[in-house]
Amino acid sequence: MNTEKPVKKKIGKKAILFRALIVVIVVVFGALLVRKLLDQISIFDIKEAFFGMYRPTLIGAFAVLLIGNFFRAYRKDILVGSDHIGMGDMFLVSMIRNAFNMVLPARTGELSYIYVLTNRFKFPLEVGVSTLMVALIFDLAIVFSLIVIAIIIVGINAYSISSVSVILIAAALLIFSLLILFYIANIIDFVLIAYRKLLNRYNVRDNRLIYRIYKKLLDISKNLKIIRERKIYWKVYLSSIAIRVLKFTGYYLIIHAILSPIAMGGYKFSNLNFWEILLATAAAEISAVLPTHALAGFGTYEYAFAIPLMILGFSENTALITGFTYHLVVLLYTVILGIISIIIISMPFYRIKKNKLEENKL
C-alpha cells in the first residue's frame, strides 16, 4: 500500500461557496425552529421558569457537573500521560472544549481541545487527535449503554417487572460495553485487514478520503493498545462512566430545579423519573452531533429534548418550556466557565511546565 501522504489540494471557489451555503442553510433552519418554538411558548413563561428555579437543587447540579468536569480532566490527563501538563491545566482545557462544543454546530467544538493542546501547550498534533478519538469511543459506548438501560427501565416500569431484572439487565449491558471497549483494538485490526484487501482489489489507494479513514483507524487501534500496555485501561473506563453518570445526574437536578416550583407543576424527586429525564437529555445531546444543529443549538436542542418527554406523557407546553430553560442554563453555565478558562490560560502569569515531550506515547 502506498504510505505517502496525498498532496493537499487548494480549496476552490466552488468548495468555499458550498460550505458558505451549508452554513446559511443551518443558520436559517435554526432561526425557523426558534421562531416556531417561540410561537408555541411565551417569553413570559420562559422568564418565570428561569428566575423561579429552585436554588438549592440548581446549586447542587452545578456542583455535580463541576465534579464531572474534574473526572473529564483526569481522564484526558492520564491519556496524554505527560508531566508537561497537569490536572489544573487539563481542567481549563476541558472547560474550553465544553464551551465551544455548546456553541458550535455538529460537535466541531471538539477541535478546540486539539487547538489548545497544540498551540498553548505545544503538544504534537497526534497527541490531541489520538486522545480525543479514544475518549470519544469510550463516551459513545457508555452513553449507548445508559440509553439502552434507560429505555429498558422506563419500559419495565410500565409493566411492573421486578427491580432485580433491571439490575441484571443493566449489569449485562455494562459488561457488554466493557468487552467491546476491551477488544475494540482487535475488532479494528480485523476491519483494517478487510480495508487493505478492498484498497488493493479496487485500486483506490490514492483516494484522499479513503486514505484518511484508513490512517485514523490505524491510529485508534495503535492508541488503544498503548492504553492497555500502560495499564490505564480501567482508569479510563471507570472515569468515563463517572463522567457520564455525573453529567446526566447534573442535568436531572437542573430539570428538577426548573419543574420543582408550583408554577411548573411542583414536581418532587419522587415523581420525577431519573431515567425518563436521562432519555430526554440524551436526545438533546445527540442532536448536537447533527449537521442541522445551528449556532448554540437553539431550536434543535429544545425539540430533541421535548419530544421524548411528550411521548412519556408530559404536556407539550411543559416539555418545551423546560427544554428551553434547561438549554439556557446549561449554555450559560458552560460558556461562562469556558470564558473564564480562556482568560486564565491566556494570562501572561500563567506558566506552563517545561518538560520534554518525547516520552509521550499517545
Short mmCIF file of all heavy atoms in Angstrom, two decimals, residues 169-226:
data_model
loop_
_atom_site.label_atom_id
_atom_site.label_comp_id
_atom_site.label_asym_id
_atom_site.label_seq_id
_atom_site.Cartn_x
_atom_site.Cartn_y
_atom_site.Cartn_z
N ILE A 169 -30.11 -6.68 33.93
CA ILE A 169 -30.01 -6.16 32.56
C ILE A 169 -28.98 -5.05 32.49
O ILE A 169 -28.15 -5.01 31.57
CB ILE A 169 -31.39 -5.66 32.07
CG1 ILE A 169 -32.35 -6.83 31.91
CG2 ILE A 169 -31.25 -4.92 30.74
CD1 ILE A 169 -33.79 -6.42 31.69
N ALA A 170 -28.99 -4.13 33.46
CA ALA A 170 -28.03 -3.03 33.50
C ALA A 170 -26.61 -3.55 33.61
O ALA A 170 -25.70 -3.08 32.90
CB ALA A 170 -28.35 -2.09 34.66
N ALA A 171 -26.40 -4.53 34.49
CA ALA A 171 -25.07 -5.12 34.67
C ALA A 171 -24.59 -5.79 33.38
O ALA A 171 -23.42 -5.66 32.99
CB ALA A 171 -25.09 -6.12 35.81
N ALA A 172 -25.50 -6.52 32.73
CA ALA A 172 -25.15 -7.21 31.48
C ALA A 172 -24.74 -6.22 30.40
O ALA A 172 -23.76 -6.45 29.67
CB ALA A 172 -26.33 -8.05 31.01
N LEU A 173 -25.46 -5.11 30.30
CA LEU A 173 -25.14 -4.10 29.29
C LEU A 173 -23.80 -3.43 29.56
O LEU A 173 -23.02 -3.16 28.64
CB LEU A 173 -26.25 -3.05 29.21
CG LEU A 173 -27.53 -3.51 28.49
CD1 LEU A 173 -28.66 -2.52 28.73
CD2 LEU A 173 -27.28 -3.67 27.00
N LEU A 174 -23.52 -3.14 30.83
CA LEU A 174 -22.24 -2.52 31.17
C LEU A 174 -21.08 -3.48 30.90
O LEU A 174 -20.01 -3.07 30.42
CB LEU A 174 -22.24 -2.07 32.63
CG LEU A 174 -23.10 -0.85 32.94
CD1 LEU A 174 -23.15 -0.60 34.44
CD2 LEU A 174 -22.58 0.38 32.21
N ILE A 175 -21.29 -4.76 31.19
CA ILE A 175 -20.26 -5.77 30.90
C ILE A 175 -20.04 -5.87 29.39
O ILE A 175 -18.91 -5.97 28.91
CB ILE A 175 -20.65 -7.13 31.49
CG1 ILE A 175 -20.59 -7.07 33.02
CG2 ILE A 175 -19.72 -8.24 30.97
CD1 ILE A 175 -21.19 -8.29 33.71
N PHE A 176 -21.15 -5.83 28.64
CA PHE A 176 -21.07 -5.90 27.17
C PHE A 176 -20.28 -4.72 26.62
O PHE A 176 -19.43 -4.88 25.74
CB PHE A 176 -22.49 -5.92 26.59
CG PHE A 176 -22.52 -5.95 25.08
CD1 PHE A 176 -22.13 -7.08 24.39
CD2 PHE A 176 -22.95 -4.84 24.37
CE1 PHE A 176 -22.15 -7.10 23.00
CE2 PHE A 176 -22.97 -4.85 22.98
CZ PHE A 176 -22.58 -5.99 22.29
N SER A 177 -20.56 -3.51 27.15
CA SER A 177 -19.83 -2.33 26.68
C SER A 177 -18.35 -2.43 27.03
O SER A 177 -17.48 -2.02 26.25
CB SER A 177 -20.42 -1.05 27.29
OG SER A 177 -20.16 -0.97 28.68
N LEU A 178 -18.06 -3.01 28.20
CA LEU A 178 -16.66 -3.18 28.61
C LEU A 178 -15.94 -4.14 27.67
O LEU A 178 -14.80 -3.90 27.25
CB LEU A 178 -16.60 -3.71 30.04
CG LEU A 178 -15.20 -4.04 30.58
CD1 LEU A 178 -14.32 -2.81 30.56
CD2 LEU A 178 -15.29 -4.61 31.98
N LEU A 179 -16.61 -5.25 27.32
CA LEU A 179 -16.00 -6.22 26.41
C LEU A 179 -15.72 -5.60 25.04
O LEU A 179 -14.66 -5.85 24.44
CB LEU A 179 -16.91 -7.44 26.27
CG LEU A 179 -17.00 -8.36 27.49
CD1 LEU A 179 -18.08 -9.41 27.29
CD2 LEU A 179 -15.65 -9.00 27.77
N ILE A 180 -16.68 -4.80 24.56
CA ILE A 180 -16.48 -4.14 23.27
C ILE A 180 -15.27 -3.21 23.33
O ILE A 180 -14.42 -3.21 22.44
CB ILE A 180 -17.74 -3.36 22.87
CG1 ILE A 180 -18.86 -4.32 22.47
CG2 ILE A 180 -17.44 -2.41 21.69
CD1 ILE A 180 -20.17 -3.63 22.15
N LEU A 181 -15.18 -2.42 24.40
CA LEU A 181 -14.07 -1.49 24.55
C LEU A 181 -12.74 -2.22 24.71
O LEU A 181 -11.71 -1.79 24.19
CB LEU A 181 -14.31 -0.57 25.75
CG LEU A 181 -15.38 0.50 25.56
CD1 LEU A 181 -15.66 1.22 26.87
CD2 LEU A 181 -14.95 1.52 24.50
N PHE A 182 -12.78 -3.35 25.44
CA PHE A 182 -11.54 -4.07 25.69
C PHE A 182 -10.99 -4.72 24.42
O PHE A 182 -9.79 -4.79 24.21
CB PHE A 182 -11.76 -5.14 26.77
CG PHE A 182 -10.49 -5.73 27.30
CD1 PHE A 182 -9.76 -5.06 28.26
CD2 PHE A 182 -10.02 -6.94 26.82
CE1 PHE A 182 -8.57 -5.60 28.75
CE2 PHE A 182 -8.84 -7.48 27.29
CZ PHE A 182 -8.10 -6.81 28.27
N TYR A 183 -11.90 -5.19 23.57
CA TYR A 183 -11.48 -5.88 22.36
C TYR A 183 -11.63 -5.03 21.09
O TYR A 183 -11.46 -5.55 19.99
CB TYR A 183 -12.28 -7.18 22.19
CG TYR A 183 -11.92 -8.24 23.20
CD1 TYR A 183 -12.77 -8.51 24.27
CD2 TYR A 183 -10.73 -8.93 23.10
CE1 TYR A 183 -12.45 -9.47 25.21
CE2 TYR A 183 -10.39 -9.90 24.03
CZ TYR A 183 -11.25 -10.15 25.09
OH TYR A 183 -10.91 -11.11 26.03
N ILE A 184 -11.89 -3.74 21.28
CA ILE A 184 -12.13 -2.90 20.10
C ILE A 184 -10.89 -2.77 19.22
O ILE A 184 -10.99 -2.65 18.00
CB ILE A 184 -12.68 -1.51 20.50
CG1 ILE A 184 -13.27 -0.82 19.26
CG2 ILE A 184 -11.60 -0.66 21.15
CD1 ILE A 184 -14.10 0.40 19.59
N ALA A 185 -9.71 -2.81 19.83
CA ALA A 185 -8.48 -2.74 19.04
C ALA A 185 -8.39 -3.94 18.11
O ALA A 185 -8.00 -3.81 16.94
CB ALA A 185 -7.26 -2.67 19.96
N ASN A 186 -8.76 -5.13 18.61
CA ASN A 186 -8.75 -6.33 17.78
C ASN A 186 -9.81 -6.25 16.68
O ASN A 186 -9.58 -6.69 15.55
CB ASN A 186 -9.00 -7.57 18.64
CG ASN A 186 -8.02 -7.68 19.79
OD1 ASN A 186 -8.26 -7.13 20.85
ND2 ASN A 186 -6.91 -8.36 19.58
N ILE A 187 -10.97 -5.69 17.03
CA ILE A 187 -12.04 -5.53 16.04
C ILE A 187 -11.59 -4.58 14.93
O ILE A 187 -11.80 -4.85 13.74
CB ILE A 187 -13.32 -4.97 16.71
CG1 ILE A 187 -13.87 -6.00 17.71
CG2 ILE A 187 -14.38 -4.63 15.67
CD1 ILE A 187 -14.96 -5.45 18.61
N ILE A 188 -10.93 -3.48 15.33
CA ILE A 188 -10.43 -2.52 14.34
C ILE A 188 -9.35 -3.16 13.47
O ILE A 188 -9.29 -2.92 12.26
CB ILE A 188 -9.91 -1.25 15.04
CG1 ILE A 188 -11.07 -0.48 15.67
CG2 ILE A 188 -9.17 -0.34 14.03
CD1 ILE A 188 -10.64 0.69 16.51
N ASP A 189 -8.49 -3.99 14.08
CA ASP A 189 -7.46 -4.70 13.29
C ASP A 189 -8.09 -5.57 12.22
O ASP A 189 -7.61 -5.63 11.08
CB ASP A 189 -6.60 -5.56 14.22
CG ASP A 189 -5.60 -4.74 15.01
OD1 ASP A 189 -5.35 -3.57 14.63
OD2 ASP A 189 -5.08 -5.25 16.03
N PHE A 190 -9.17 -6.24 12.58
CA PHE A 190 -9.90 -7.09 11.61
C PHE A 190 -10.46 -6.22 10.48
O PHE A 190 -10.38 -6.58 9.30
CB PHE A 190 -11.02 -7.84 12.32
CG PHE A 190 -11.85 -8.68 11.40
CD1 PHE A 190 -11.40 -9.91 10.94
CD2 PHE A 190 -13.09 -8.23 10.97
CE1 PHE A 190 -12.17 -10.68 10.08
CE2 PHE A 190 -13.87 -8.99 10.11
CZ PHE A 190 -13.41 -10.22 9.66
N VAL A 191 -11.03 -5.05 10.85
CA VAL A 191 -11.57 -4.13 9.84
C VAL A 191 -10.46 -3.62 8.93
O VAL A 191 -10.65 -3.50 7.71
CB VAL A 191 -12.28 -2.94 10.53
CG1 VAL A 191 -12.69 -1.88 9.50
CG2 VAL A 191 -13.51 -3.42 11.29
N LEU A 192 -9.28 -3.36 9.51
CA LEU A 192 -8.15 -2.86 8.72
C LEU A 192 -7.68 -3.89 7.70
O LEU A 192 -7.29 -3.54 6.57
CB LEU A 192 -6.99 -2.47 9.64
CG LEU A 192 -7.19 -1.17 10.43
CD1 LEU A 192 -6.08 -1.01 11.48
CD2 LEU A 192 -7.20 0.03 9.50
N ILE A 193 -7.69 -5.16 8.09
CA ILE A 193 -7.31 -6.22 7.15
C ILE A 193 -8.27 -6.23 5.96
O ILE A 193 -7.84 -6.29 4.79
CB ILE A 193 -7.31 -7.60 7.86
CG1 ILE A 193 -6.18 -7.66 8.90
CG2 ILE A 193 -7.16 -8.73 6.84
CD1 ILE A 193 -6.26 -8.88 9.81
N ALA A 194 -9.57 -6.16 6.26
CA ALA A 194 -10.57 -6.12 5.19
C ALA A 194 -10.42 -4.86 4.35
O ALA A 194 -10.57 -4.88 3.12
CB ALA A 194 -11.97 -6.20 5.80
N TYR A 195 -10.11 -3.75 5.03
CA TYR A 195 -9.93 -2.46 4.35
C TYR A 195 -8.78 -2.53 3.35
O TYR A 195 -8.89 -2.09 2.20
CB TYR A 195 -9.63 -1.38 5.41
CG TYR A 195 -10.19 -0.01 5.08
CD1 TYR A 195 -11.07 0.62 5.94
CD2 TYR A 195 -9.80 0.66 3.92
CE1 TYR A 195 -11.58 1.88 5.68
CE2 TYR A 195 -10.30 1.91 3.65
CZ TYR A 195 -11.18 2.51 4.51
OH TYR A 195 -11.67 3.76 4.24
N ARG A 196 -7.65 -3.12 3.79
CA ARG A 196 -6.48 -3.23 2.90
C ARG A 196 -6.80 -4.10 1.68
O ARG A 196 -6.36 -3.80 0.56
CB ARG A 196 -5.30 -3.80 3.67
CG ARG A 196 -4.58 -2.79 4.54
CD ARG A 196 -3.25 -3.33 5.01
NE ARG A 196 -3.42 -4.41 5.97
CZ ARG A 196 -3.46 -4.23 7.29
NH1 ARG A 196 -3.39 -3.02 7.80
NH2 ARG A 196 -3.60 -5.27 8.09
N LYS A 197 -7.56 -5.17 1.88
CA LYS A 197 -7.92 -6.03 0.75
C LYS A 197 -8.79 -5.27 -0.26
O LYS A 197 -8.61 -5.41 -1.46
CB LYS A 197 -8.67 -7.26 1.26
CG LYS A 197 -7.76 -8.25 2.01
CD LYS A 197 -8.54 -9.47 2.46
CE LYS A 197 -7.63 -10.46 3.16
NZ LYS A 197 -8.37 -11.66 3.64
N LEU A 198 -9.70 -4.45 0.26
CA LEU A 198 -10.55 -3.65 -0.63
C LEU A 198 -9.73 -2.61 -1.38
O LEU A 198 -9.95 -2.37 -2.57
CB LEU A 198 -11.64 -2.97 0.19
CG LEU A 198 -12.78 -3.86 0.70
CD1 LEU A 198 -13.69 -3.08 1.64
CD2 LEU A 198 -13.59 -4.41 -0.48
N LEU A 199 -8.78 -2.00 -0.68
CA LEU A 199 -7.92 -1.00 -1.32
C LEU A 199 -7.13 -1.60 -2.47
O LEU A 199 -7.00 -1.00 -3.54
CB LEU A 199 -6.96 -0.38 -0.30
CG LEU A 199 -7.56 0.52 0.79
CD1 LEU A 199 -6.48 0.96 1.77
CD2 LEU A 199 -8.23 1.74 0.18
N ASN A 200 -6.59 -2.80 -2.23
CA ASN A 200 -5.80 -3.46 -3.27
C ASN A 200 -6.67 -3.97 -4.42
O ASN A 200 -6.30 -3.91 -5.58
CB ASN A 200 -5.01 -4.62 -2.65
CG ASN A 200 -3.94 -4.13 -1.70
OD1 ASN A 200 -3.35 -3.08 -1.91
ND2 ASN A 200 -3.69 -4.90 -0.65
N ARG A 201 -7.87 -4.45 -4.05
CA ARG A 201 -8.74 -5.05 -5.07
C ARG A 201 -9.29 -3.99 -6.03
O ARG A 201 -9.35 -4.21 -7.23
CB ARG A 201 -9.88 -5.79 -4.39
CG ARG A 201 -10.82 -6.48 -5.36
CD ARG A 201 -11.84 -7.31 -4.63
NE ARG A 201 -12.76 -7.96 -5.55
CZ ARG A 201 -13.74 -8.78 -5.17
NH1 ARG A 201 -13.92 -9.05 -3.88
NH2 ARG A 201 -14.53 -9.32 -6.07
N TYR A 202 -9.73 -2.85 -5.47
CA TYR A 202 -10.38 -1.84 -6.30
C TYR A 202 -9.45 -0.69 -6.69
O TYR A 202 -9.88 0.29 -7.28
CB TYR A 202 -11.61 -1.28 -5.57
CG TYR A 202 -12.68 -2.32 -5.38
CD1 TYR A 202 -12.88 -2.92 -4.13
CD2 TYR A 202 -13.47 -2.74 -6.45
CE1 TYR A 202 -13.86 -3.91 -3.96
CE2 TYR A 202 -14.45 -3.71 -6.27
CZ TYR A 202 -14.64 -4.29 -5.03
OH TYR A 202 -15.60 -5.25 -4.87
N ASN A 203 -8.18 -0.81 -6.31
CA ASN A 203 -7.16 0.14 -6.74
C ASN A 203 -7.56 1.60 -6.45
O ASN A 203 -7.57 2.46 -7.32
CB ASN A 203 -6.88 -0.03 -8.25
CG ASN A 203 -5.60 0.68 -8.67
OD1 ASN A 203 -4.69 0.87 -7.85
ND2 ASN A 203 -5.53 1.06 -9.93
N VAL A 204 -7.90 1.86 -5.17
CA VAL A 204 -8.28 3.22 -4.78
C VAL A 204 -7.29 3.78 -3.74
O VAL A 204 -7.66 4.53 -2.85
CB VAL A 204 -9.72 3.24 -4.21
CG1 VAL A 204 -10.73 3.04 -5.30
CG2 VAL A 204 -9.88 2.18 -3.11
N ARG A 205 -6.05 3.42 -3.89
CA ARG A 205 -5.03 3.81 -2.91
C ARG A 205 -4.83 5.31 -2.82
O ARG A 205 -4.45 5.83 -1.78
CB ARG A 205 -3.70 3.14 -3.25
CG ARG A 205 -3.77 1.62 -3.28
CD ARG A 205 -2.44 1.05 -3.70
NE ARG A 205 -2.51 -0.38 -3.92
CZ ARG A 205 -1.47 -1.10 -4.33
NH1 ARG A 205 -0.31 -0.52 -4.55
NH2 ARG A 205 -1.61 -2.39 -4.52
N ASP A 206 -5.02 5.98 -3.93
CA ASP A 206 -4.74 7.42 -3.96
C ASP A 206 -5.94 8.28 -3.58
O ASP A 206 -5.85 9.50 -3.63
CB ASP A 206 -4.25 7.82 -5.37
CG ASP A 206 -2.93 7.13 -5.72
OD1 ASP A 206 -2.12 6.95 -4.79
OD2 ASP A 206 -2.74 6.80 -6.90
N ASN A 207 -7.04 7.64 -3.24
CA ASN A 207 -8.20 8.42 -2.81
C ASN A 207 -7.92 9.01 -1.43
O ASN A 207 -7.68 8.30 -0.45
CB ASN A 207 -9.43 7.50 -2.74
CG ASN A 207 -10.69 8.28 -2.43
OD1 ASN A 207 -10.85 8.82 -1.36
ND2 ASN A 207 -11.60 8.30 -3.41
N ARG A 208 -7.98 10.34 -1.34
CA ARG A 208 -7.57 11.04 -0.12
C ARG A 208 -8.46 10.69 1.07
O ARG A 208 -7.97 10.44 2.18
CB ARG A 208 -7.60 12.55 -0.37
CG ARG A 208 -7.04 13.36 0.77
CD ARG A 208 -7.13 14.83 0.45
NE ARG A 208 -6.64 15.63 1.57
CZ ARG A 208 -6.75 16.94 1.64
NH1 ARG A 208 -7.34 17.60 0.67
NH2 ARG A 208 -6.29 17.59 2.69
N LEU A 209 -9.77 10.66 0.85
CA LEU A 209 -10.70 10.39 1.93
C LEU A 209 -10.50 8.98 2.48
O LEU A 209 -10.45 8.77 3.70
CB LEU A 209 -12.14 10.57 1.44
CG LEU A 209 -13.24 10.24 2.46
CD1 LEU A 209 -13.13 11.15 3.68
CD2 LEU A 209 -14.62 10.37 1.82
N ILE A 210 -10.39 7.99 1.58
CA ILE A 210 -10.22 6.60 1.99
C ILE A 210 -8.90 6.43 2.74
O ILE A 210 -8.84 5.72 3.75
CB ILE A 210 -10.26 5.67 0.77
CG1 ILE A 210 -11.69 5.65 0.20
CG2 ILE A 210 -9.82 4.26 1.13
CD1 ILE A 210 -11.85 4.84 -1.06
N TYR A 211 -7.87 7.13 2.27
CA TYR A 211 -6.56 7.06 2.94
C TYR A 211 -6.67 7.61 4.37
O TYR A 211 -6.13 7.04 5.32
CB TYR A 211 -5.52 7.85 2.16
CG TYR A 211 -4.18 7.94 2.85
CD1 TYR A 211 -3.24 6.92 2.72
CD2 TYR A 211 -3.86 9.03 3.64
CE1 TYR A 211 -2.02 6.99 3.37
CE2 TYR A 211 -2.64 9.11 4.29
CZ TYR A 211 -1.73 8.08 4.15
OH TYR A 211 -0.53 8.16 4.79
N ARG A 212 -7.38 8.72 4.52
CA ARG A 212 -7.50 9.35 5.83
C ARG A 212 -8.29 8.48 6.81
O ARG A 212 -7.94 8.36 7.98
CB ARG A 212 -8.18 10.72 5.70
CG ARG A 212 -7.29 11.78 5.06
CD ARG A 212 -8.04 13.08 4.83
NE ARG A 212 -8.44 13.69 6.10
CZ ARG A 212 -9.17 14.80 6.16
NH1 ARG A 212 -9.59 15.39 5.04
NH2 ARG A 212 -9.48 15.32 7.32
N ILE A 213 -9.36 7.83 6.32
CA ILE A 213 -10.13 6.92 7.15
C ILE A 213 -9.26 5.75 7.61
O ILE A 213 -9.27 5.38 8.79
CB ILE A 213 -11.38 6.39 6.40
CG1 ILE A 213 -12.37 7.53 6.14
CG2 ILE A 213 -12.06 5.28 7.20
CD1 ILE A 213 -13.51 7.16 5.23
N TYR A 214 -8.51 5.20 6.68
CA TYR A 214 -7.60 4.10 6.99
C TYR A 214 -6.58 4.52 8.05
O TYR A 214 -6.32 3.81 9.03
CB TYR A 214 -6.88 3.63 5.72
CG TYR A 214 -5.81 2.60 5.99
CD1 TYR A 214 -6.15 1.26 6.15
CD2 TYR A 214 -4.47 2.96 6.09
CE1 TYR A 214 -5.18 0.30 6.40
CE2 TYR A 214 -3.50 2.02 6.35
CZ TYR A 214 -3.85 0.69 6.50
OH TYR A 214 -2.88 -0.26 6.77
N LYS A 215 -6.01 5.72 7.87
CA LYS A 215 -4.99 6.23 8.80
C LYS A 215 -5.58 6.44 10.19
O LYS A 215 -4.95 6.11 11.21
CB LYS A 215 -4.44 7.56 8.26
CG LYS A 215 -3.26 8.12 9.04
CD LYS A 215 -2.02 7.28 8.82
CE LYS A 215 -0.77 7.99 9.36
NZ LYS A 215 -0.82 8.27 10.79
N LYS A 216 -6.82 6.97 10.28
CA LYS A 216 -7.45 7.20 11.58
C LYS A 216 -7.73 5.89 12.30
O LYS A 216 -7.51 5.77 13.51
CB LYS A 216 -8.76 7.98 11.40
CG LYS A 216 -8.59 9.40 10.87
CD LYS A 216 -7.70 10.24 11.75
CE LYS A 216 -7.50 11.63 11.18
NZ LYS A 216 -6.45 12.38 11.90
N LEU A 217 -8.21 4.89 11.56
CA LEU A 217 -8.45 3.58 12.16
C LEU A 217 -7.16 2.97 12.69
O LEU A 217 -7.14 2.37 13.77
CB LEU A 217 -9.10 2.64 11.14
CG LEU A 217 -10.56 2.91 10.78
CD1 LEU A 217 -10.99 2.03 9.62
CD2 LEU A 217 -11.47 2.69 11.98
N LEU A 218 -6.09 3.15 11.93
CA LEU A 218 -4.78 2.65 12.33
C LEU A 218 -4.32 3.32 13.62
O LEU A 218 -3.82 2.67 14.55
CB LEU A 218 -3.76 2.90 11.22
CG LEU A 218 -2.49 2.04 11.17
CD1 LEU A 218 -2.86 0.57 11.01
CD2 LEU A 218 -1.59 2.50 10.04
N ASP A 219 -4.51 4.63 13.69
CA ASP A 219 -4.12 5.39 14.89
C ASP A 219 -4.94 4.97 16.11
O ASP A 219 -4.39 4.84 17.21
CB ASP A 219 -4.30 6.90 14.64
CG ASP A 219 -3.27 7.46 13.67
OD1 ASP A 219 -2.24 6.79 13.47
OD2 ASP A 219 -3.50 8.54 13.10
N ILE A 220 -6.25 4.79 15.91
CA ILE A 220 -7.11 4.40 17.04
C ILE A 220 -6.68 3.04 17.58
O ILE A 220 -6.55 2.85 18.80
CB ILE A 220 -8.58 4.34 16.59
CG1 ILE A 220 -9.11 5.74 16.29
CG2 ILE A 220 -9.44 3.69 17.67
CD1 ILE A 220 -10.49 5.75 15.66
N SER A 221 -6.44 2.09 16.69
CA SER A 221 -6.01 0.75 17.10
C SER A 221 -4.70 0.82 17.87
O SER A 221 -4.55 0.20 18.94
CB SER A 221 -5.85 -0.14 15.87
OG SER A 221 -5.33 -1.39 16.22
N LYS A 222 -3.77 1.60 17.36
CA LYS A 222 -2.46 1.74 17.99
C LYS A 222 -2.58 2.34 19.39
O LYS A 222 -1.98 1.83 20.35
CB LYS A 222 -1.56 2.62 17.12
CG LYS A 222 -0.20 2.92 17.72
CD LYS A 222 0.57 3.89 16.84
CE LYS A 222 1.86 4.31 17.53
NZ LYS A 222 2.61 5.32 16.71
N ASN A 223 -3.39 3.38 19.52
CA ASN A 223 -3.50 4.07 20.80
C ASN A 223 -4.27 3.27 21.84
O ASN A 223 -3.96 3.34 23.03
CB ASN A 223 -4.17 5.44 20.58
CG ASN A 223 -3.28 6.40 19.82
OD1 ASN A 223 -2.09 6.47 20.07
ND2 ASN A 223 -3.85 7.11 18.86
N LEU A 224 -5.26 2.49 21.41
CA LEU A 224 -5.95 1.62 22.34
C LEU A 224 -5.03 0.54 22.89
O LEU A 224 -5.10 0.18 24.07
CB LEU A 224 -7.17 0.98 21.66
CG LEU A 224 -8.36 1.90 21.41
CD1 LEU A 224 -9.38 1.22 20.51
CD2 LEU A 224 -9.03 2.30 22.73
N LYS A 225 -4.14 0.05 22.06
CA LYS A 225 -3.16 -0.95 22.51
C LYS A 225 -2.16 -0.32 23.49
O LYS A 225 -1.76 -0.95 24.47
CB LYS A 225 -2.42 -1.54 21.31
CG LYS A 225 -3.30 -2.46 20.46
CD LYS A 225 -2.58 -2.91 19.21
CE LYS A 225 -3.49 -3.78 18.34
NZ LYS A 225 -2.85 -4.14 17.05
N ILE A 226 -1.80 0.93 23.23
CA ILE A 226 -0.89 1.64 24.14
C ILE A 226 -1.52 1.84 25.51
O ILE A 226 -0.87 1.72 26.54
CB ILE A 226 -0.47 3.01 23.53
CG1 ILE A 226 0.44 2.79 22.32
CG2 ILE A 226 0.25 3.87 24.56
CD1 ILE A 226 0.77 4.04 21.55
#
